Amino acid sequence: MKNQSSLSEFLLLEFSAIRELQILHFFSFLVLYLAIVSGNLLIISAVVFDHHLHTPMYFFLMNLAMQNIGSVSVIIPKSIINSLMNIRHISYSGCVAQVLLFIFVVTSDVAFLTVMACDRYVAICNPLHYEVIMSRRTCDRMAARAWISTFLYAVLHTCGTFAIPFCSNVIDQFFCEVPQLLKLACSDLYLYENGIVAFGAMIGFGCFTLIMVSYAKIFSAVRKIPTVQGRKKAFSTCLPHLIVLFLFIFTAWPPYLKPSPNMPSYINLAITMLYSVVPPLINPVIYSMRNKEMKNALSKLLGLK
């Protein structure tokens, strides 16, 4: 394949050439996908239908759950269909759409984790003015800006990726992942895309710094709370967010900031599964297990005592 003008499709990584294993992959990914979608839909439904959860923290948590559903819906259904139909191709336009939407939802994860850290900072460090500062209008604006800015970055990132001539159409991954696409580049134009990645990394580092500064001030304020029960309650609202944050950082950033050119396919696959599937699966569990209000809302929603 000389360049991208002659490409009409890409070939994705095949999990196995054995039909029985392909069917096993189909059912495994189907169950995994349904579990992720169901768990995050429960979070969204609980926030929507329980008036006790109509607060900024749960509003942003609902947006994060929507992001989780979007991230897996972009990549898993195509892989499921390919295994069921014993094919491995994806159209050029389909690959472009996958890259655009996946970058959009992944970067929106960073945006909402940052917004949620700011929300916790205001709630704990400035509780008397919390309702005024984090009004419904302010929350709507913050959410809208997060979605819009990450979509614009995704468009820039996608244009940079597909401006590169490709020397092959064989992608060593089960979806169109940017690091794997850059391995197919056959010109120095990939330096342009690396510049966009560096720009995104700087924004991500800025978000991470803001989150860390917010939590440094939060922990300082929590230490001054006179009662043990008050300190525990404050920490309980922050701990799930911190767990989700570090889970995302340690799984999603390494493959994008420092992709290994000679890594075996099965290791690439394991790392990708770790950052693309595990967080959306675990996030609902983390937020529901450590949160009494969420537990009560889910119990009411499911008709449990």
Side-chain angles (χ1 to χ4, degrees), residues 63-83:
N63 279 267
L64 192 65
M66 292 166 59
Q67 179 273 330
N68 288 334
I69 293 174
S71 64
V72 294
S73 297
V74 170
I75 60 175
I76 291 184
K78 177 59 178 175
S79 181
I80 290 175
I81 293 171
N82 281 6
S83 292

Side-chain angles (χ1 to χ4, degrees), residues 164-282:
I164 302 170
F166 297 116
C167 293
S168 173
N169 69 336
V170 181
I171 301 174
D172 192 25
Q173 193 52 267
F174 72 97
F175 70 99
C176 291
E177 187 185 37
V178 172
Q180 300 302 323
L181 284 167
L182 293 181
K183 291 180 182 180
L184 309 181
C186 51
S187 82
D188 291 337
L189 285 175
Y190 73 90
L191 295 175
Y192 170 71
E193 169 62 7
N194 285 345
I196 297 175
V197 173
F199 174 67
M202 287 190 293
I203 295 176
F205 181 75
C207 292
F208 178 72
T209 302
L210 180 60
I211 293 171
M212 290 297 100
V213 171
S214 298
Y215 272 102
K217 293 183 178 181
I218 288 171
F219 291 146
S220 177
V222 169
R223 289 176 61 186
K224 297 177 183 178
I225 297 177
T227 63
V228 175
Q229 185 178 3
R231 290 194 294 269
K232 285 183 177 180
K233 184 177 181 180
F235 275 124
S236 68
T237 63
C238 299
L239 186 60
H241 178 253
L242 283 174
I243 294 173
V244 171
L245 171 67
F246 284 105
L247 178 65
F248 175 81
I249 289 173
F250 289 115
T251 57
W253 285 21
Y256 277 83
L257 294 183
K258 193 177 180 181
S260 176
N262 299 315
M263 190 175 292
S265 297
Y266 66 91
I267 296 180
N268 272 328
L269 178 61
I271 293 174
T272 302
M273 290 288 294
L274 192 63
Y275 83 80
S276 64
V277 176
V278 173
L281 180 65
I282 295 180

